[in-house]
Amino acid sequence: MLTTELDFQDRMIDALEANCDLFAQISVPIIPANSDGTPANGIAFMLTPIGQATCNYDGQWDKQYAFQITVRHTDQLTAVNTLQAISRYVDGLDNDSIQSQNGSFYFINGQVTSLPNFLMKDDHGVVYVASYSAELLLNE
């Protein structure tokens, strides 16, 4: 992953953990299993660059990133409420809401691209996912 992508991923995770009432810390890119190998309650973040960066008239590069949040929990309501809290937070982000630590990007906006969706249920709980996107101006 590029410096910008790692910086954005880390800053977005920090912001979500600081501003959303989460039941667990966010893992990358999958939810780790319990010590006995069974699925654990957890939250995972997966970042994916999408499309090509476009050069603006001022010479800065504009790039879209997609990210998916996966939540597994034994309680369905906890899983859904967690993703809804994340969705409300991301939907409210605007210019410069997420600050680059190394100056590699300027955050433009974030949006929900897919509301929480049921993925699966097993003996250890339910899994829900939601998708998001973010627009960044690249400084590298």
Side-chain angles (χ1 to χ4, degrees):
M1 239 189 242
L2 298 172
T3 303
T4 300
E5 293 166 356
L6 286 174
D7 187 25
F8 172 67
Q9 174 181 281
D10 292 345
R11 300 297 69 77
M12 181 57 80
I13 290 171
D14 289 347
L16 292 171
E17 289 178 342
N19 294 288
C20 300
D21 185 21
L22 306 178
F23 64 87
Q25 287 190 306
I26 298 173
S27 303
V28 177
I30 60 171
I31 300 167
N34 290 316
S35 59
D36 64 0
T38 59
N41 290 340
I43 306 166
F45 182 100
M46 172 84 73
L47 179 68
T48 309
I50 53 175
Q52 294 293 321
T54 55
C55 188
N56 297 327
Y57 291 113
D58 62 3
Q60 285 192 300
W61 289 89
D62 191 1
K63 181 133 177 98
Q64 290 277 16
Y65 287 87
F67 58 98
Q68 177 177 294
I69 308 265
T70 305
V71 174
R72 172 186 274 283
H73 203 279
T74 53
D75 179 61
Q76 184 173 8
L77 190 57
T78 298
V80 171
N81 285 343
T82 298
L83 281 175
Q84 286 179 332
I86 291 170
S87 294
R88 279 190 303 276
Y89 178 72
V90 171
D91 206 34
L93 295 174
D94 57 10
N95 285 0
D96 215 24
S97 291
I98 306 296
Q99 299 282 325
S100 172
Q101 185 172 0
N102 62 15
S104 63
F105 70 85
Y106 178 79
F107 184 85
I108 301 298
N109 64 44
Q111 66 182 14
V112 177
T113 57
S114 168
L115 294 173
N117 289 294
F118 174 78
L119 184 62
M120 65 172 274
K121 179 181 181 351
D122 61 20
D123 293 340
H124 303 284
V126 295
V127 178
Y128 278 80
V129 297
S131 299
Y132 309 90
S133 68
E135 182 181 2
L136 307 178
L137 281 179
L138 306 181
N139 293 324
E140 43 179 45

